[in-house]
Amino acid sequence: NLYAVLEQHEKKKRFPEGISAKLAEKLLAHKDQAFFSKRLGTIVTNLDIPFTLENADWRTHLNPGELDRTLKDFGFFSLIKRLGELKIERPANDTVATVHEPVTDADGTLIAHDAKPYIRDLLVHRKGIPPLLFDTKVGAYLLKPGERTYDFEALLHEHNIPPDTNALHALRDKLARNMQEAEVMRIFEDIEMPLVKVLAQMELDGISVDTKILQRLRKKAEDQVADLEKKIYTLAGGQFNISSPQQLGRVLFEQLGLQGKVRRTSGGALSTAAPELEKLRDAHPIIDRIFEYREIQKLLTTYIEPFPDLIGHDMRIHTTYNQVGAATGRLASENPNLQNIPVKTDLGHEFRRAFIAPKGTQLVSLDYSQLELRIVAHIAEDKKMMAAFERGEDIHTRTAAQVFGVVPAKVTKEMRNQAKVLNFGIIYGMGSLGFARAAGVDRAQAKEFIDRYFEEFSGIAHYMEAMKNMAYQKGYVKTIFGRRRPLPDARSTMPQLRAQAERMAINHPVQGTEADLIKMAMVRIYDFLEHKGLRDRVRMLLQVHDELVFEIASDAVAVVVPQLTQIMESVYRLSVPLVVDAKAGNNWADMHPIP
C-alpha cells in the first residue's frame, strides 16, 4: 500500500506527511531490497510442526552422554560441573577431571595447576619451597594470553589428555613442548615461575590499615555524594537516579536538550558513558558535577565501604595478585584491587593515607621514572628521545621543544602538556581525534602536531609501522624478552577490528616489556632479601604499575633503599638509563623524596 501511494505521488513530487522527498527516493530506488528485508524479518507462523508439551519435557528425553559431549565441545566446563544441581547423572564411564594435587618429580620440580595457593600454604607453615616449579596454568596463559579462563579440565580437553592420575604430567609435557616452539620458555622459567613465591609472600604479608581514617573518610564521602546530588538535581530541575543510564540520558538529552557527537548504545539510546559525556563538558555545568559524583561514588562503593570486611585479624589488607589476568603480562590486584585507587582526587589521596606503616617502620615507594617512554625510546631506537634521556632532561619539555621549534626555556606549560599527552598517547595508538580531545585543541591543530611529532621522532613512526607489519605477517607481536600477544585480527577485513589489533600491536611490546621488567625486579629483590636475611626487616607489600611499596624498619631505610634502588635500575640494560624515584613516609599518601 505504501509503495502504491508513493508511486502515485512520485510524478507530482508531493509525498504523504512524514515522508520526505529524499526518503521517498530511497524507498523507490531500493524497493526490491525493502521487500526482501520485510520477508527476512517476518516470522513464519503457518508451518506444520509436530509439537506437544509432553515431548518438550527435556528431563524425559535428555541424553546425558550427548549433553556431556556437547558441553565439552563448546567449552562449557563450568556447566558440566553443575549438572548435579539439575539431578542429571553423568555417563558412568565419564570422569570429571579435578585440579590434581601438586606432585614432586624425580628432578625436584613441583608440578601444579595454579601453584600460588599451595606455595602460600608452605610459607605459612614455614616449610621449604621446592627449587623448581612448573605451573600449568601459567604455562597455558603464556601460550594464549587474554583467555577468559584457564580451567584445568578445559585444557585437558583441548590437548586430548584423558582426565586420569597422569593428567597433570601429560599436560606439563604438552605445554612445555608448545612453549619451546613459541620461544616463551625463557619468560616462563626466568620470570613467571620465580615470581610465584614472591606473590605468595606479598599476599601473606598484606599492608597495615588505619580503620579510624576509613571511618572518617566514609562520612566525608557520603556527605560529598549527598551535596553533589543536590547540585545535580538543581541543575536538572528535579530528582532522578543519577546512576541509571536511562534516567540520566532522559535528563541530559531530552529535558536539558544537550547536543553533541554522542554515540548510541546497542539499544539505540544516546550513551552516557564517560568518553561520550566528555564531549559535552562545555555544554552544561551538570556534566562536571556528574563526573565528580561518579568518582566519589566509585571510591565509596568500591573501596571505602567494603574495606572493613576485608581487613584481616592482623589489621592488614591482603590483596590477591592474578598472574594470568592481563594479556600484556601485567599483574592484576583483586579482592581488593589496590592498583586502581584514584590518586588525582582529594578523596583518593586521603584514602591512601589509611595505608600506614606500623610503629618502628616506614612505608617506602620505589617508582620507575617514565618507564614506558624509556622503553619506547629503546625499542624504537629513536635518536632524539634516547639523547634526551641520556642527558637526564625532562622528556615532555624536550618533546615540546622539538615539535614547536623552540629552546626548552621557551616551552610553556600548555606546550609541555600537549607533548605529554602525545608522548603517552602514542603508546596506545592515539589518533588525531583522541589527541584533540585530550589536549584541548581542534582536529586540524591535532593533526598538525602529530605530523610534526613524527617528523621529529621518526624512529617512533618507523616502530609503529614495523609492529603493524609484524602483526599482519606473523599474527603476533612480542616484548624484548619474547612475551607474545597473538593478534589474528590484524588481518581482519573489518576496519574496526583491524585498527584495534594495530593499536594492540603498538602497545604490547612497550606495556609487556614494562610488565616483564617490574616482575624481574620483584624476583631480584626477593632473592636479595632472602640472601641477606632481611625478610623480617624489609617487606615487599604492593606492586602498582611501575611502583613497588615496601615496609622497612626505620633504622634500615638509609642502608637498604639505595641497595633496592640499584637492583631496580640495573635489572636490565636498556639503551637509555632506568631511573627510580624513592620516597618514604608514615603512610602511602604523605611520602617525601629520600635524598
Side-chain angles (χ1 to χ4, degrees), residues 22 27 34 59 65 111 116 132 142 195 231 302 342 373 545 582:
K22 190 171 184 180
L27 286 169
R59 292 179 186 275
I111 309 172
K116 181 151 58 70
L132 298 173
L142 280 178
L195 185 68
K231 291 179 179 177
T302 306
L373 295 179
H545 308 309

Side-chain angles (χ1 to χ4, degrees), residues 72-73 77 152-164 166-167 170-171 174 177-178:
K72 280 185 175 179
D73 288 342
F77 293 93
F152 183 66
E153 186 175 5
L155 290 170
L156 296 188
H157 184 68
E158 178 186 341
H159 295 289
N160 297 314
I161 298 172
D164 54 28
N166 295 317
L171 181 60
K174 182 72 173 179
R177 287 195 295 272
N178 291 348

Side-chain angles (χ1 to χ4, degrees), residues 324-384:
V324 300
T328 58
R330 280 189 167 185
L331 292 170
S333 169
E334 300 169 349
N335 301 318
N337 182 347
L338 298 182
Q339 294 179 329
N340 289 343
I341 298 172
V343 293
K344 294 183 179 179
T345 62
D346 292 339
L347 269 180
H349 186 75
E350 286 188 47
F351 185 67
R352 283 197 167 202
R353 194 167 284 129
F355 296 85
I356 61 170
K359 187 177 180 180
T361 70
Q362 284 188 291
L363 287 187
V364 172
S365 165
L366 298 182
D367 193 357
Y368 279 115
S369 171
Q370 297 176 334
L371 181 57
E372 284 182 323
L373 295 179
R374 293 173 191 272
I375 293 169
V376 169
H378 172 85
I379 296 178
E381 298 181 351
D382 189 275
K383 303 301 182 186
K384 291 181 179 177

